[in-house]
DNA sequence: ACCATATATCTTGATATCAAGATATTTTGA
DNA sequence: TCAAAATATCTTGATATCAAGATATATGGT
């Protein structure tokens, strides 16, 4: 419980080397980063079972949860997933090559496209999401429901404050 | 406070499309991921002022906080920073080219090296860490000290449970 | 109607990362 | 002592990402 973890050791080292620095925030941000890294690696294993990774799962899931007709523009997808246009172009190329999405010219705007789930893409994401949710449940099982809710509230406030800054 | 954020909208969409799924963990993990992404981007701006990025800062800071003689093997650095050997080789090449580290053959083990901060590397990281800590303080300023401590405790337990799994 | 500006997307070039395998050296066990 | 296994590091090949710039189309103001 109170045992020193990897991050505590880092803070102790800094305190000894640079006692002038306030390293408390470093502890919080360091754990956040390391936790995220561990969580991502675990989730990637589940995605890999379905031939997916973070990027491809992200796009397919965004289209799936949108509901019928399971279609968005690349710009909408960029906004949802926080990546640049070059990254989204690349992701869509891969997914199109794999036959998981289809693209049609946007009839309402000659500059753009609409990206939609193919039948194959729909079937795949609808199956993968079940395994993904199970993995996530397992990952948070070290916290009680109440602790998870507390964490949720703190993260929500934190995220809100950072995105406003 | 209670306003719907980006993650809440995602959960609502899933609930409507797939009411069979328990998406509560997805909220927590989604906020963690998005928060980490926002935080990293902000910290990168500070590192860039010193010609550094996440990778190079990470290595230099690890050597600096180690204390005299500011030296570790590539393997030690890999363990501290959670990257593969190929990644560490690449990082060290860049840092050596920039004159921020020096490498000598490990006299005690002919297979390995010791990586140490150059004078230039020491001066740079000792300056950059001050700005970095200031940025971190600003990033967490949306939480009270008590909230930050609470978050810290929850993250610590969470991290511990995930790394054990 | 027309031009300037904004928008949607793609292209290019550079960097970081990983997994798998290669090489050199050390350690272990019979 | 010596062969087998372990370890430390590097190399290779593939992928994902970003920033900056290019191209095509749309929109707004005159």
């Amino acid at each position: 419980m109170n045992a020193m973890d990897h991050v505590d050791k880092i803070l102790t080292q800094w305190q000894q080397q640079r006692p002038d620095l306030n390293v408390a925030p470093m502890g919080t941000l360091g754990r956040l980063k390391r936790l995220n890294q561990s969580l991502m690696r675990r989730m990637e294993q589940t995605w890999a079972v379905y031939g997916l990774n973070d990027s491809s799962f992200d796009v397919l899931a965004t289209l799936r949860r949108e509901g019928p007709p399971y279609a968005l523009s690349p710009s909408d997808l960029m906004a949802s997933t926080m990546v640049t246009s070059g990254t989204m172009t690349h992701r869509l190329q891969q997914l199109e090559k794999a036959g998981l999405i289809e693209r049609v010219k946007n009839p309402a705007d000659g500059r753009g496209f609409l990206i939609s789930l193919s039948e194959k893409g729909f079937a795949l994401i609808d199956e993968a999401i079940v395994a993904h949710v199970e993995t996530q449940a397992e990952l948070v099982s070290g916290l009680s429901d109440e602790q998870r809710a507390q964490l949720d509230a703190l993260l929500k406030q934190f995220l809100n404050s950072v995105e406003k800054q």
Side-chain angles (χ1 to χ4, degrees), chain A residues 127-145:
Chain A
E127 189 183 350
I129 186 65
V130 176
H132 173 63
V133 165
E134 278 167 12
T135 297
Q136 290 191 314
E138 195 184 328
L139 284 169
V140 302
S141 64
L143 298 175
S144 70
D145 285 354

Side-chain angles (χ1 to χ4, degrees), chain A residues 29-159:
Chain A
L29 301 186
R31 288 203 177 84
L32 245 163
K33 178 179 176 184
R34 201 175 170 94
L35 182 54
N36 190 247
Q37 201 171 352
S38 291
L39 294 168
M40 289 300 297
R41 287 185 181 171
R42 284 286 303 278
M43 292 189 285
E44 268 160 14
Q45 293 174 11
T46 301
W47 295 325
V49 172
Y50 300 90
L52 298 173
N53 57 26
D54 184 17
S55 316
S56 47
F57 181 88
D58 199 17
V59 172
L60 296 182
T62 302
L63 292 170
R64 173 62 184 84
R65 69 174 183 255
E66 193 67 22
Y70 310 109
L72 286 172
S73 68
S75 300
D76 292 336
L77 288 168
M78 284 164 55
S80 269
T81 59
M82 288 177 77
V83 298
T84 60
S85 62
T87 298
M88 187 51 68
T89 297
H90 181 249
R91 288 182 176 190
L92 296 177
Q93 280 170 352
Q94 301 306 108
L95 287 167
E96 195 174 16
K97 202 189 303 177
L100 299 171
I101 62 165
E102 287 157 359
R103 68 200 311 160
V104 293
K105 266 203 158 285
N106 187 335
D109 187 336
R111 293 167 301 180
F113 296 89
L114 286 178
I115 308 295
S116 64
L117 283 177
S118 70
E119 203 171 316
K120 183 177 164 192
F122 182 93
L124 181 63
I125 190 62
D126 231 39
E127 189 183 350
I129 186 65
V130 176
H132 173 63
V133 165
E134 278 167 12
T135 297
Q136 290 191 314
E138 195 184 328
L139 284 169
V140 302
S141 64
L143 298 175
S144 70
D145 285 354
E146 195 186 349
Q147 287 177 320
R148 204 197 45 66
Q150 259 192 322
L151 177 57
D152 226 25
L154 288 165
L155 291 175
K156 185 171 179 176
Q157 180 181 336
F158 195 176
L159 182 55

